[in-house]
Amino acid sequence: MEQGSCWIDGRIIPLGEAAVPVTDHGLLYGDGVFEGIRFYNARPFLLKEHLRRLRDSARAIALDLPWEEAELASIVEALIAAHGQPSGYLRLIVTRGSGAMGIDPARCPAPRLIVIATALEIVPAEKRARGIRLVTASVRRLGADGLDPRIKSLNYLNPILARIEATAAGADEALLLNARGRVAEASTENLFIARQGRLLTPPVSEGALDGITRALILQLAEELGIEVAEVPLAPYDLHTADEAFLTGTGAELIPVREIDGRRLAHCPGPLFRRCEAAFRDFIRHQCKEAS
Ligand code: PMP
């Protein structure tokens, strides 16, 4: 059983004891939204940004959040304190709540909030140091005309199907293309590549989550004087890139060593190293140890 703590229905309890009714529409239909947030030195990292995206995801699915931002922030702080670990991962989940069978959200009188605090290691340290292998999945990222990928919804089957393909191919992570064959993102991370000293990432409109780590890296790279651009990318751009890396809350920054069997020129590359150092500095600055 995973170690951790959970805020549910107004109480903080061990993660192993936390449960939801089977009539919750989050379980029945994937009807709900979530956020993953890291904490360092017992301080939530970029909490405001995550709470804003949670609210936007909820608005996009016409779910009214009855909790104010300050209320959510104090629940997060209380949970981190009760959990007692200096660093880890939080999962904020808002489901449509319990209701009778049938997809109509009107059957659910009140949303349910669940917050989990636990440890998270997406990639073992030695693999992170060497860089990971990506393969392009045959399954395509859903378009905004189906389910807008900017909504961080409780249904992750689209990226899960891609990840299953990557695992079957012996790779570490999957890349998803959009319906036009352009690069969208990895299953649960955004993608950056470096070409001739420039850092490139697809615009969110290509079918990616509006990643909070992605936005931070764009900002930090610019501050470092690195030329950055959000441009549509084809598999060719990836296969011939000088370097590549993934960004995400869970992943942080992970260098990529191979894409579809093509070895990249540098891993970890020079732009990755600079961005990673700036990212660590930023975390240290934002999440200073309480004195
Ligand atoms: N894309 C998807 C589909 C994700 O689930 C995540 C993880 N939240 C990301 C990208 C990275 O986004 P962020 O940096 O906000 O965690």
Side-chain angles (χ1 to χ4, degrees):
M1 178 68 67
E2 192 131 8
Q3 296 288 310
S5 313
C6 184
W7 186 102
I8 184 163
D9 300 331
R11 293 194 309 140
I12 294 174
I13 56 177
L15 185 54
E17 291 171 20
V20 290
V22 293
T23 51
D24 192 295
H25 279 214
L27 173 68
L28 290 175
Y29 304 112
D31 187 355
V33 293
F34 77 99
E35 277 298 315
I37 306 170
R38 285 238 177 229
F39 59 98
Y40 306 92
N41 282 326
R43 291 176 194 266
F45 183 54
L46 301 177
L47 182 62
K48 256 191 181 359
E49 287 77 358
H50 283 284
L51 293 182
R52 187 179 316 129
R53 189 171 65 186
L54 182 75
R55 193 162 297 275
D56 286 347
S57 292
R59 289 175 70 194
I61 67 161
L63 193 164
D64 283 332
L65 290 187
W67 307 275
E68 294 296 330
E69 187 177 317
E71 218 172 333
L72 292 172
S74 63
I75 289 169
V76 161
E77 270 153 33
L79 182 64
I80 292 174
H83 184 54
Q85 297 295 321
S87 64
Y89 179 79
L90 302 167
R91 175 62 61 93
L92 256 91
I93 304 155
V94 180
T95 76
R96 191 76 67 175
S98 292
M101 290 285 168
I103 64 165
D104 187 353
R107 292 175 176 232
C108 305
R112 169 172 285 118
L113 172 66
I114 303 156
V115 192
I116 295 169
T118 188
L120 179 72
E121 187 188 60
I122 289 225
V123 175
E126 102 278 350
K127 200 167 241 187
R128 188 180 277 278
R130 259 191 307 136
I132 62 167
R133 296 167 60 209
L134 308 183
V135 289
T136 303
S138 69
V139 74
R140 298 286 174 102
R141 192 74 176 108
L142 289 175
D145 51 354
L147 176 62
D148 198 308
R150 286 174 297 181
I151 303 172
K152 206 161 163 55
S153 91
L154 289 184
N155 192 316
Y156 255 49
L157 271 177
N158 183 217
I160 288 168
L161 290 177
R163 178 65 76 82
I164 287 169
E165 285 187 40
T167 304
D172 302 301
E173 174 58 304
L175 272 174
L176 288 99
L177 306 180
N178 62 26
R180 292 185 305 282
R182 296 265 183 73
V183 179
E185 59 180 341
S187 74
T188 53
E189 299 90 18
N190 293 108
L191 173 87
F192 284 81
I193 62 166
R195 289 178 72 85
Q196 294 162 355
R198 293 170 80 212
L199 202 54
L200 309 174
T201 191
V204 171
S205 54
E206 291 290 311
L209 183 75
D210 196 351
I212 289 169
T213 321
R214 172 187 181 278
L216 176 61
I217 292 304
L218 284 172
Q219 179 201 317
L220 293 177
E222 222 162 77
E223 286 169 13
L224 286 170
I226 298 169
E227 197 186 327
V228 294
E230 296 176 69
V231 288
L233 298 173
Y236 169 87
D237 299 302
L238 273 47
H239 296 157
T240 58
D242 300 323
E243 52 175 303
F245 59 89
L246 302 181
T247 65
T249 297
E252 300 176 307
L253 270 62
I254 305 181
V256 173
R257 114 180 111 96
E258 190 184 299
I259 302 178
D260 296 328
R262 280 82 157 176
R263 268 283 165 119
L264 297 185
H266 305 285
C267 180
L271 292 193
F272 170 83
R273 288 181 198 279
R274 291 175 68 194
C275 290
E276 160 84 0
F279 179 65
R280 293 287 159 205
D281 274 352
F282 189 85
I283 292 172
R284 264 192 296 279
H285 189 258
Q286 291 282 310
C287 302
K288 283 203 190 91
E289 235 169 304
S291 46

